[in-house]
Amino acid sequence: MRSLVRFLSLALVVVAIVWLGLWWYAESRLALAVDQVATVLRSHGWTVTRGAITRGTSPLRAEVLVSGLRLTPPVANGPAPTIGIPALDLMVRPGTPFTLNLTPASTWRLALVDGPSATLHFGSIAAAEQFDPAALLQGSDNPLRAGSFHATDLRIDSQNTNFTLLSIAAISVTTTRNPRAGTAETAFSLHEKLSGLALSPIFTTLGDLPFGGKLGRLSLDLAVSGPAAELPAGLAGAFAPTIAGPAGQTSAVAPADFMALWQQAAPALHRWAQDGGHGSLGVRLAVGPLDATGKGEFGFDSRVQPRGRMHLVADGFGAALGTISTHYPGLVGGISALTAAASPFLVRGPKDSQRLAVTFGLADGKLTANGTDLMTVPPLAWPAPPPPTAGAPKPKG
């Protein structure tokens, strides 16, 4: 009996030592990950500073706390805003070892150099990132497979006057990523939802804004399929604030410089389109009497020209236009023309309300509405790919 007790005691000691070693290693990796992410951001032109990193003390979870985090994105023209986050908690629980939970402080500061500043208050805020175990073990530079962000009761106040500029009841964002996706698989998905947005009553009054300066709901669902290997470069070129150059150099590109962004993104997007890239899109907007939804899909034909369709349903369409014309009399002429153009697509909705129902189509260079030709769309001119550098493989297509 004593031998059994000694064996069990020794086993418990060994397990405890191993557990503490894994816990210490996990917290070390979390602290290292903070600096690795900061290095990546700096390589893309961001300015990143932070205070101390404090390790957690509970062996039941791996945790680090980053203090005094300040982020300034690269901006080509004008002053860059600096986001100040007093504290950011990163935690991994034993039951979900490949899910990183992030909990920022509930109050942030947003400031322009020598300019105005604002305070962001959150009632609740949390984010999570999920990683692929195999990608982590293989040292992938992007092992992320899914992420989420949720916040409620956001209020943006002018820091100097404590005057509320904007409030949002809830924000939710979820994403997925599959770098091994083929033509028939989803490579990237995005779901965003915002509800209860309201501008300050003062802004609403001064600007005579319709609908009380409030937006009930705005949501977006995007799913992109096709060879995932083609996507990152194209999407980064289209949406990133900087474009990476040789040897990690970056050059800022103004968001308004569409042609420069297009030249950077087009080669990768062209290859993606040639290899069967396609996707689906869903949008919903609820503001005042208007409740509109749109669902559709997009892709490319055999000539690598865009094609797609979008079905749009909007209840309260006429009432919404009437409200806008009341607030902005100068738009009455344009609104009347829009109403006349939409009249063939108006049907009776619930409770004898007026509903706009139309299916837009794009194919063979023609834009149609419920099968009726609206206009001819000029062909998309894909720019020629840049000449390959010495020793680089020649891109396909």
Side-chain angles (χ1 to χ4, degrees):
M1 185 64 180
R2 289 181 179 179
S3 298
L4 179 60
V5 171
R6 285 196 298 269
F7 173 77
L8 292 177
S9 299
L10 179 61
L12 287 174
V13 170
V14 172
V15 169
I17 293 174
V18 172
W19 179 265
L20 289 175
L22 291 173
W23 168 69
W24 183 262
Y25 173 77
E27 290 198 338
S28 300
R29 293 291 299 176
L30 283 179
L32 178 61
V34 172
D35 289 331
Q36 288 176 333
V37 171
T39 299
V40 171
L41 289 175
R42 292 187 186 108
S43 71
H44 287 82
W46 288 67
T47 299
V48 182
T49 61
R50 64 165 179 81
I53 294 181
T54 306
R55 291 172 177 263
T57 57
S58 172
L60 299 180
R61 60 179 181 267
E63 183 177 18
V64 297
L65 181 69
V66 184
S67 63
L69 184 61
R70 292 170 59 85
L71 306 169
T72 305
V75 175
N77 300 306
T82 296
I83 303 171
I85 305 175
L88 174 63
D89 183 84
L90 295 84
M91 180 178 61
V92 176
R93 295 185 176 91
T96 53
F98 298 106
T99 298
L100 173 63
N101 299 284
L102 301 99
T103 306
S106 59
T107 300
W108 299 8
R109 184 172 182 266
L110 178 66
L112 294 173
V113 177
D114 299 326
S117 60
T119 304
L120 283 68
H121 302 279
F122 297 88
S124 66
I125 180 171
E129 304 287 356
Q130 297 180 4
F131 299 89
D132 178 7
L136 281 175
L137 294 175
Q138 294 169 2
S140 170
D141 59 352
N142 189 357
L144 175 65
R145 296 297 175 265
S148 64
F149 172 84
H150 303 282
T152 62
D153 299 326
L154 167 62
R155 190 178 79 250
I156 303 178
D157 296 340
S158 170
Q159 188 166 359
N160 297 330
T161 62
N162 205 30
F163 172 73
T164 298
L165 307 174
L166 173 75
S167 62
I168 299 175
I171 302 174
S172 176
V173 182
T174 58
T175 62
T176 65
R177 178 177 177 269
N178 178 10
R180 294 183 292 272
T183 302
E185 299 173 301
T186 300
F188 172 79
S189 71
L190 168 69
H191 174 70
E192 295 187 12
K193 183 171 67 175
L194 179 150
S195 61
L197 183 149
L199 292 172
S200 166
I202 292 181
F203 293 155
T204 303
T205 302
L206 292 176
D208 192 24
L209 301 178
F211 317 122
K214 298 179 180 179
L215 186 151
R217 173 176 174 173
L218 176 63
S219 63
L220 170 68
D221 288 283
L222 173 67
V224 178
S225 301
E230 309 288 359
L231 286 176
L235 293 178
F239 299 112
T242 59
I243 296 175
Q249 297 175 355
T250 58
S251 57
V253 176
D257 192 355
F258 175 78
M259 289 309 300
L261 295 176
W262 173 243
Q263 291 290 336
Q264 292 287 337
L269 292 177
H270 191 199
R271 292 193 297 271
W272 171 71
Q274 287 179 311
D275 291 338
H278 63 283
S280 62
L281 176 68
V283 181
R284 181 180 179 185
L285 172 66
V287 54
L290 178 68
D291 189 350
T293 59
K295 295 183 179 179
E297 60 271 348
F298 56 89
F300 300 87
D301 58 23
S302 58
R303 297 172 297 167
V304 202
Q305 291 298 307
R307 60 172 179 79
R309 64 185 300 275
M310 170 67 76
H311 182 61
L312 175 65
V313 175
D315 290 316
F317 177 74
L321 291 181
T323 300
I324 294 173
S325 64
T326 299
H327 285 263
Y328 302 110
L331 299 179
V332 170
I335 290 176
S336 297
L338 178 60
T339 302
S343 60
F345 313 112
L346 295 176
V347 298
R348 180 175 296 179
K351 299 181 181 180
D352 293 330
S353 64
Q354 193 178 61
R355 166 177 285 182
L356 175 69
V358 57
T359 300
F360 294 101
L362 175 62
D364 299 324
K366 292 183 179 181
L367 179 65
T368 62
N370 288 358
T372 301
D373 289 353
L374 293 181
M375 60 180 295
T376 299
V377 180
L380 177 63
W382 293 98
T389 57
K394 184 177 180 181
K396 182 174 62 175

